[in-house]
Amino acid sequence: MTLFSSPPRPPAAPTGPGSAHPTVEQSGIRPPLRARHRAVMPDWLTLYYEDPVELTHGEGRHVWDAEGRCYLDFYGGVLTTMTAHALPEVTAAVREQAGRILHTSTLYLNRPMVELAERIATLSGIPDARVFFTTSGTEANDTALLLATAYRRSNQILAMRNSYHGRSFSSVSITGNSAWSPTSLSPFQTLYVHGGVRTRGPFAELSDAAFTDACVADLEDVLGQAHGGAAALIAEPVQGVGGFTAPPDGLYAAFREVLDRHGILWISDEVQTGWGRTGDHFWGWQAHAASGPPDMLTFAKGIGNGMAVGGVVARAEVMNCLDAHSVSTFGGSPVTMAAGLANLTYLLEHDLQGNARRVGGLLIQRLRAVTAGLPVVREVRGRGLMIGVELAGPDGRPAPHAAGLALEHARAEGLLVGRGGREGNVLRIAPPLTLTVAEAEEGAELLGAALRRTQDAAEAERQP
């Protein structure tokens, strides 16, 4: 697969099982898939679109649904298809490893796990690093919290407002985004500080330097009210579910000075920002590099390119602080490790970080151009191939209804994007890192058309 390939042609009509013949649902033998989903899945399991889509296959930056419609994928399964759909190198690695052995567990030596850990430890920038593999970002953050609280003998956690760190009981309890925090019960005393959202809130009108000073003062004030010493600050360098918001570069370096005085650990949640997606840096924490590397970083999503891989990197003193036995049944699976190795190799050999910087910069410019003059678009922001389009009403207040319409209109145009922000008013754009210039141009035009339709609908709704 070449990096700058043309958009793929729709695959030839298959034969045999799964072919273009009427599906079971269409034949009337069984209810439609959506009804079956509702009958057995939780009500809170979100589905995009009024008429949810079933994606059946993909290639490169494109996916196809069960009706054969092709979409340009600008979301990658929530930033998880990092390189490309059906990347031959990853597919071959999975097939080859699966043909040898599927599972062993961490009770046995595992060559692919050790080899991937060696590469990630070196890339992390953390000295004397140790790596523990999990199956998701949620589990990675859960592990980091376990390590921090055990190491510091404290259940106090500092977290950022508007943050998101996963769906487990522990990670929900440090999530500062109320839309994704279904319970107030918590195993931690969580203390939330300012800084993750630059363009809203009490410090929005300040200069970057004054914003940073104000957030540092807020952190100091929070610590002054805390009982005992906090275990760690956990922070996303760019808030993902929160709507791709970020502080000024250097904020976490300034925070680190305060944290170090108190012996508090810094956990960088790189589940969405890692592996070069922001273009300027391989890790999000490197935008705050004056502080040096974090004590821990967590990763997941993109490294597996769709396979279930997550993990924690920590300096040895922290990683080795647990005084009880532990294993991971599925973390470090030979098959997922083989996929991660192949995917990481492809990313580095093809300089996908550089591609994210170049093509992402072009995409941001084009999106700003096609949305100029649309009052419904409050801001286009981002870094590399991690871009947010925030929608607002005439009064400047968040417009989640408009974002819902834009999501539908984009799909109708042949483009898949995500949605986030505390109020659900931000379109999230995060294509695979192999995105070509032509695809960036095409995607910007498609989203521009979708947002113009959204603007027209918003104006029509305001008519008497």
Side-chain angles (χ1 to χ4, degrees):
M1 176 181 185
T2 57
L3 177 58
F4 298 105
S5 61
S6 300
R9 294 186 299 273
T15 59
S19 70
H21 297 294
T23 64
V24 188
E25 290 85 356
Q26 292 168 339
S27 68
I29 299 173
R30 300 182 71 181
L33 187 60
R34 182 181 186 183
R36 292 163 58 194
H37 181 281
R38 284 176 169 172
V40 294
M41 300 295 179
D43 290 345
W44 42 259
L45 193 62
T46 301
L47 283 171
Y48 274 168
Y49 311 115
E50 288 294 322
D51 180 19
V53 60
E54 177 192 0
L55 300 180
T56 59
H57 55 286
E59 182 181 346
R61 279 71 53 196
H62 291 76
V63 292
W64 283 262
D65 68 15
E67 283 70 46
R69 289 172 294 196
C70 180
Y71 302 91
L72 180 58
D73 185 3
F74 265 31
Y75 201 34
V78 195
L79 293 85
T80 301
T81 305
M82 178 171 70
T83 46
H85 290 281
L87 186 71
E89 289 82 352
V90 173
T91 302
V94 169
R95 184 184 299 112
E96 181 181 352
Q97 180 59 52
R100 290 198 296 267
I101 190 167
L102 282 170
H103 176 71
T104 60
S105 98
T106 55
L107 290 169
Y108 304 95
L109 288 173
N110 178 336
R111 189 174 300 274
M113 181 173 70
V114 172
E115 291 177 351
L116 184 56
E118 288 171 338
R119 299 192 73 178
I120 292 175
T122 300
L123 289 166
S124 74
I126 296 175
D128 195 21
R130 300 291 189 273
V131 182
F132 177 77
F133 288 106
T134 68
T135 59
S136 69
T138 289
E139 190 187 348
N141 284 331
D142 192 73
T143 303
L145 294 168
L146 169 66
L147 292 169
T149 53
Y151 181 79
R152 288 278 292 157
R153 315 306 297 176
S154 168
N155 75 331
Q156 291 183 332
I157 299 294
L158 297 164
M160 306 303 294
R161 299 183 182 187
N162 197 51
S163 59
Y164 174 82
H165 298 287
R167 59 165 182 78
S168 68
F169 185 50
S170 67
S171 57
V172 161
S173 69
I174 56 154
T175 286
N177 185 325
S178 58
W180 292 87
S181 184
T183 176
S184 61
L185 301 177
S186 172
F188 303 115
Q189 180 186 30
T190 306
L191 309 168
Y192 292 102
V193 295
H194 282 291
V197 181
R198 179 66 186 90
T199 59
R200 287 194 184 274
F203 306 146
E205 303 306 319
L206 300 176
S207 68
D208 282 354
F211 179 94
T212 298
D213 289 343
C215 293
V216 169
D218 176 66
L219 172 61
E220 296 268 23
D221 183 64
V222 168
L223 289 175
Q225 299 178 56
H227 299 290
L233 166 74
I234 185 167
E236 306 157 273
V238 179
Q239 293 183 334
V241 171
F244 291 169
T245 63
D249 288 357
L251 175 79
Y252 293 117
F255 276 12
R256 186 67 179 275
E257 294 179 10
V258 178
L259 301 177
D260 285 350
R261 288 202 306 271
H262 294 269
I264 300 169
L265 302 177
W266 173 29
I267 305 167
S268 185
D269 180 341
E270 302 277 354
V271 169
Q272 298 196 29
T273 52
W275 318 110
R277 177 163 289 282
T278 65
D280 292 335
H281 307 287
F282 194 76
W283 303 106
W285 70 259
Q286 291 170 319
H288 311 271
S291 64
D295 298 289
M296 286 186 269
L297 68 81
T298 58
F299 62 86
K301 291 193 182 289
I303 183 60
N305 201 46
M307 299 296 284
V309 183
V312 183
V313 188
R315 51 188 174 90
E317 179 186 9
V318 176
M319 184 68 84
N320 295 332
C321 75
L322 301 183
D323 57 4
H325 298 297
S326 188
V327 299
S328 180
T329 302
F330 295 108
S333 154
V335 174
T336 62
M337 296 296 95
L341 273 168
N343 197 41
L344 181 59
T345 298
Y346 187 93
L347 179 141
L348 295 172
E349 290 182 350
H350 291 82
D351 186 25
L352 297 194
Q353 177 185 336
N355 194 60
R357 182 177 62 254
R358 294 184 296 272
V359 180
L362 168 69
L363 179 56
I364 291 172
Q365 290 178 359
R366 291 293 298 125
L367 287 172
R368 287 173 175 162
V370 299
T371 59
L374 292 179
V376 74
V377 177
R378 178 180 181 269
E379 182 182 23
V380 176
R381 56 175 176 257
R383 206 165 197 159
L385 288 173
M386 196 172 187
I387 304 167
V389 179
E390 183 174 343
L391 305 187
D395 57 359
R397 296 173 64 84
H401 176 64
L405 287 176
L407 196 76
E408 296 282 354
H409 292 324
R411 177 195 171 181
E413 295 287 343
L415 180 71
L416 302 185
V417 298
R419 185 177 175 186
R422 188 180 68 182
E423 294 84 6
N425 66 311
V426 181
L427 301 180
R428 298 172 68 198
I429 297 166
L433 302 187
T434 51
L435 187 75
T436 68
V437 169
E439 290 164 345
E441 295 275 6
E442 178 190 1
E445 290 300 323
L446 294 175
L447 189 59
L451 288 167
R452 287 191 292 273
R453 291 174 62 181
T454 302
Q455 180 70 56
D456 291 343
E459 291 175 355
E461 288 178 358
R462 289 196 295 271
Q463 296 298 320

